[in-house]
Amino acid sequence: FSMGGLIAQSLAISETQKYIRKLALASTTPGGPETTGLFSEDFFHLLDDYNNDSPANNRRHAAAFFVHGLPHFWVTNNVKQLQRAVNTFISAKRPHHGILGQKHALTHFNISKKKLTQIQLPTLILHGDSDPVLHPQCASLLLHHIPTASILLFAGTGHHAYIQEPLEWINAITSFLDNDVNDVNDEEGDGVAVGGGGGKFLRRHRSLLHFDQPPREDNSCTDET
C-alpha cells in the first residue's frame, strides 16, 4: 500500500522476483516524469512537524493526514472510524527523520517503464477512483506498463480505501492471492470485481485508462478527530 507499493515494485524487478508468486499494488505510483502533477504536494507536508514529544500535536497532524486522503462525505459520517485510524497511527513510534525519509522516497521514486514491462508476475492494482493523494491515473500507468496486470477500482474511495471498504479490500486481495487461475492475459474488457467487492475490475488494457482530475475538497480536520 502506498509506500509499500514502491518497495514491492522494486522487489519485483530485482533478483528476488523468483521468490514472489503474485504482486498486489495498492494506492501507489510508478513515479517519474509521467506522474508529474498527479500527487498532492500538500499531503506530503502534513507530517513535517510530527514528533514523538507532543501527543496532542501528533494527533492533529495524524488526523489531517487521514482526512486529506479521504472523501469529505465519508469523514463527516464516519468520525469514530477515523478516530480509530488516528489512534492506531499515533500508537506507533515514528521517528521524525523516518517520516522525512519516507516523504523523500515517495516524491522522488522513479521506476522506468522498461523495468515495469519486465514484471511477469500476476499483478493486481487496487486504487480508489477518488484518491486525492495519488491520482488514479497513477494506477492506469502501472496497468499500462506491467504486461501481466489487472486493476480494481473502488468507487467513491480515496487514498485510504482500505478504511472506507475494509471487507471488500481484504476480500479482493485474498481472492487474488488464493486463486490459481490467472486471466490477466485475457482480451480487454469488463469483468467481475475480485472478491465480490463494489469496485470495477478491468482486465489488462494496452491503452491507458483516463480519469478526470479529482476536485480538491476542503477536508480540514475538526476537534472531533
Side-chain angles (χ1 to χ4, degrees), residues 10-136:
S10 299
L11 291 174
I13 62 172
S14 70
E15 293 183 358
T16 60
Q17 180 176 157
K18 60 186 177 183
Y19 302 108
I20 304 172
R21 186 170 62 89
K22 291 186 176 182
L23 187 65
L25 300 173
S27 303
T28 193
T29 174
E34 286 186 299
T35 62
T36 300
L38 296 181
F39 63 87
S40 169
E41 294 187 12
D42 292 341
F43 177 79
F44 293 108
H45 292 300
L46 291 174
L47 296 179
D48 281 355
D49 297 323
Y50 193 95
N51 61 74
N52 294 308
D53 299 324
S54 176
N57 175 71
N58 287 353
R59 177 171 291 277
R60 284 194 299 272
H61 285 292
F65 173 81
F66 282 103
V67 168
H68 187 89
L70 292 163
H72 182 67
F73 74 87
W74 187 90
V75 171
T76 303
N77 296 317
N78 295 275
V79 173
K80 288 186 177 180
Q81 284 179 261
L82 178 61
Q83 288 175 330
R84 285 197 294 270
V86 170
N87 290 339
T88 299
F89 185 88
I90 64 177
S91 67
K93 291 288 185 180
R94 301 178 186 275
H96 186 61
H97 69 271
I99 290 176
L100 295 180
Q102 181 172 344
K103 183 177 77 170
H104 183 273
L106 283 165
T107 53
H108 291 79
F109 185 74
N110 181 7
I111 186 168
S112 71
K113 292 184 287 186
K114 182 179 180 180
K115 288 183 177 180
L116 285 176
T117 61
Q118 296 172 0
I119 295 177
Q120 298 300 315
L121 299 165
T123 301
L124 178 63
I125 300 164
L126 305 96
H127 214 99
D129 71 352
S130 300
D131 189 337
V133 177
L134 295 174
H135 191 278

Side-chain angles (χ1 to χ4, degrees), residues 28-30 34-35 38 127-128 131 134-143 153 208-214:
T28 193
T29 174
E34 286 186 299
T35 62
L38 296 181
H127 214 99
D131 189 337
L134 295 174
H135 191 278
Q137 192 69 21
C138 292
S140 83
L141 289 170
L142 289 169
L143 178 69
L153 297 176
L208 289 177
L209 297 175
H210 293 284
F211 301 88
D212 293 330
Q213 199 75 13

